Amino acid sequence: MLNVYYGNMPEAVFNTSVYFKNTYEDAWITDPAAKEMILDVDKSTVLDGAVIDSPVLGKIAPVSLSGGVKTLILMKNERSRIFNASVCGDNCAKWILKLAEKEDLTINLRHLMDFGEGRFDIRIMNTSQVVHSMKELVPIAGLYV
């Protein structure tokens, strides 16, 4: 299940780009799920653990990926940490939900992310309520962001 804490959360890793730069491993980048996320979100192709082919930037290092993709990769590989997912755009929401299907995932949000029109299970940690749609989520999250 996805657990979301809205608003300031001191224990959350706020600067995910700096954290990623200092912790990622090449194997994280070549993981099939990471390759799929990178292709979907950044429209870029992983060539190997150190080189990604971006249609906009050309050949780039993993540290040059978007903040959203870097945060998704961190969420997948550093489950003991809580990351600020507000650096992620709405195009990352489906991936966050997918990561939470396999194993409980806790994130911090400081904005209202659009998780789409489908059904989902999100526990809002601020109130311990479980919501299943954006219609249920918006009024509660709106109290905190």
Side-chain angles (χ1 to χ4, degrees):
M1 176 178 285
L2 178 60
N3 300 291
V4 177
Y5 186 88
Y6 285 98
N8 187 37
M9 185 180 200
E11 63 270 32
V13 176
F14 183 75
N15 192 333
T16 55
S17 287
V18 170
Y19 189 90
F20 181 87
K21 179 181 178 181
N22 290 289
T23 61
Y24 90 91
E25 300 172 15
D26 288 350
W28 293 5
I29 307 304
T30 58
D31 174 79
K35 286 180 172 183
E36 194 176 348
M37 290 186 286
I38 292 166
L39 183 60
D40 181 51
V41 176
D42 281 3
K43 310 299 184 227
S44 298
T45 304
V46 174
L47 301 178
D48 63 41
V51 181
I52 295 149
D53 188 16
S54 165
V56 176
L57 304 172
K59 305 292 188 276
I60 60 171
V63 295
S64 296
L65 288 165
S66 70
V69 169
K70 288 189 277 195
T71 303
L72 289 172
I73 293 169
L74 286 169
M75 287 177 196
K76 182 180 184 312
N77 291 285
E78 295 274 306
R79 290 295 190 149
S80 65
R81 299 264 186 219
I82 299 170
F83 294 98
N84 169 24
S86 285
V87 70
C88 297
D90 290 340
N91 59 342
C92 294
K94 73 177 182 182
W95 291 104
I96 293 171
L97 290 171
K98 192 177 271 194
L99 289 170
E101 285 175 4
K102 297 178 183 190
E103 184 180 340
D104 284 351
L105 175 65
T106 300
I107 64 171
N108 175 228
L109 279 172
R110 297 167 190 215
H111 79 287
L112 185 59
M113 180 174 277
D114 185 354
F115 287 98
E117 295 182 18
R119 287 190 51 81
F120 47 73
D121 296 317
I122 295 177
R123 183 170 73 91
I124 300 173
M125 296 173 66
N126 306 70
T127 63
S128 295
Q129 291 173 274
V130 177
V131 296
H132 307 285
S133 67
M134 286 303 294
K135 185 176 181 175
E136 294 176 9
L137 182 126
V138 168
I140 300 166
L143 298 172
Y144 301 98
V145 292

